[in-house]
Amino acid sequence: MADTRQVVADQQPALDPALTLVAQDAHVTYRVYEDRRAGLRELVSSRGKLRAARAIRAVKGVSFEARAGEVIGVIGANGSGKSTLLQAMAGLLPCTDGAVYARSQPVILGVGAALQPLLSGRRNVELGLLALGASQEQVEEQFDEVVEFSGLEGSIDLPMRTYSSGMKARLHFAIATSIQPDILLIDEALAVGDADFRERSEERIRTLQAHAGTVFIVSHRLSEIQRTCTRVLWLCAGELAADGTPDEVLAQYREWVGRPRNRPPRQQRQQRRRWRRRRQRHRERRLARRQQRRLRRQAGR
């Protein structure tokens, strides 16, 4: 079983052959630098140090096991760590603690897919299939099927930069699912398609499930999760709040969303109010200085 963190093979645990992906107490923390200019007083007091950095704990101790044939939905509020978890599962982000093990390399599919905007759709299909391990003969065999599924027959020779976000998502989904990947990660990519594309995508996902593949879907469309998935993970503030059947987890999530106490902690609200007051004072001081400069220029004329 391949490890997305590139852990040595002999350090991997003994796993059930039916498992396709295992997350063991996975933590993902990254540093974000504040994008604001320091004043003269702050520069002097900090002695010329670099900008302040804040550690963001996006994923906190998430553990689960995924098996072949499962379609797993990942839900949660904005900023709960859903996309970060998928990137850690795909090996795009390293786990700062814990580990994620995969039976094969997961294929991640998102709205911001890495398609080449200056190349045509035809060239992107060819390069995408080659990058997924297809031979030149397989590329020639699957090309027409990919284009037909995406519904872009009339635009396939145009540059990707002329495509809308929905057209890009359709093309990338068609490329990613043409090889029937063992593990497919979908991050909000189905939300930008039209009704016909979503129906064909759900049919393609059922086909992958029938071939014992594992599909993860991140979406805010609870009806889509209810209709497509066999299991749901609910992330709340980076932690795994619930793991179970769609009926059970979605009922808990809807109840949590409807609660009036679904608000940030008191300390966070106070901090936000302090920042707003501080920004307001800075704006007022800037306006006052501008007014003073304007009056001096008028007096000197």
Side-chain angles (χ1 to χ4, degrees):
M1 180 171 287
D3 177 15
T4 58
R5 289 185 62 226
Q6 297 180 354
V7 175
V8 181
D10 57 10
Q11 296 177 352
Q12 299 174 7
L15 299 173
D16 185 350
L19 296 176
T20 57
L21 189 141
V22 176
Q24 293 183 343
D25 194 28
H27 294 257
V28 178
T29 303
Y30 53 89
R31 296 168 64 86
V32 177
Y33 289 92
E34 296 179 354
D35 187 15
R36 66 184 184 90
R37 295 182 177 179
L40 179 60
R41 180 179 301 177
E42 291 178 327
L43 287 174
V44 173
S45 61
S46 63
R47 298 180 182 179
K49 293 182 180 179
L50 298 176
R51 293 176 298 169
R54 182 182 306 176
I56 305 296
R57 297 182 60 198
V59 177
K60 309 171 186 175
V62 173
S63 299
F64 64 87
E65 296 178 347
R67 288 176 168 80
E70 286 187 315
V71 180
I72 303 175
V74 184
I75 63 174
N78 291 327
S80 58
K82 304 183 297 297
S83 297
T84 303
L85 177 61
L86 252 65
Q87 293 180 36
M89 291 160 57
L92 301 178
L93 284 178
C95 292
T96 52
D97 196 8
V100 177
Y101 300 96
R103 187 169 70 182
S104 62
Q105 177 59 43
V107 177
I108 187 168
L109 171 62
V111 176
L115 299 173
Q116 300 299 320
L118 299 180
L119 300 180
S120 65
R122 179 183 301 275
R123 188 58 177 159
N124 272 284
V125 171
E126 295 172 351
L127 293 177
L129 292 175
L130 290 173
L132 292 175
S135 64
Q136 188 63 43
E137 291 76 13
Q138 291 174 326
V139 171
E140 295 175 357
E141 294 174 359
Q142 298 176 358
F143 179 83
D144 292 337
E145 180 187 352
V146 170
V147 176
E148 181 181 359
F149 182 84
S150 65
L152 300 175
E153 293 90 340
S155 307
I156 197 63
D157 290 314
L158 297 178
M160 286 292 301
R161 56 183 172 81
T162 63
Y163 287 19
S164 66
S165 60
M167 295 168 69
K168 294 176 183 177
R170 286 155 53 186
L171 185 60
H172 194 198
F173 184 87
I175 295 172
T177 57
S178 63
I179 62 168
Q180 295 186 347
D182 192 28
I183 305 172
L184 178 63
L185 314 176
I186 304 175
D187 188 1
E188 290 288 356
L190 303 184
V192 297
D194 53 22
D196 179 64
F197 172 71
R198 286 199 296 270
E199 182 178 351
R200 288 186 287 123
S201 300
E202 292 173 5
E203 180 63 30
R204 180 65 65 89
I205 290 174
R206 286 191 288 269
T207 302
L208 292 175
Q209 182 183 9
H211 287 81
T214 303
V215 182
F216 288 84
I217 301 177
V218 169
S219 178
H220 289 283
R221 294 173 177 263
L222 301 186
S223 59
E224 175 185 302
I225 297 292
Q226 179 85 42
R227 184 173 58 252
T228 308
C229 300
T230 60
R231 176 182 168 192
V232 176
L233 305 178
W234 171 21
L235 289 183
C236 183
E239 299 179 350
L240 186 60
D243 178 2
T245 63
D247 292 337
E248 297 173 352
V249 178
L250 291 179
Q252 298 177 30
Y253 181 69
R254 289 189 177 102
E255 181 183 358
W256 178 81
V257 169
R259 289 182 179 180
R261 62 182 182 181
N262 179 19
R263 302 170 60 194
R266 180 179 179 183
Q267 185 177 3
Q268 292 185 11
R269 297 198 302 271
Q270 292 175 347
Q271 179 68 18
R272 292 175 183 175
R273 284 195 293 267
R274 285 195 294 268
W275 277 106
R276 284 195 293 267
R277 287 195 295 265
R278 186 178 302 177
R279 286 195 297 268
Q280 181 64 26
R281 287 196 298 268
H282 286 321
R283 283 194 294 266
E284 292 174 354
R285 291 170 185 169
R286 283 199 302 270
L287 291 175
R289 287 195 294 267
R290 291 177 184 174
Q291 184 67 19
Q292 290 174 2
R293 288 195 296 268
R294 190 179 299 112
L295 292 176
R296 293 195 195 101
R297 286 195 298 268
Q298 293 175 355
R301 291 179 179 175

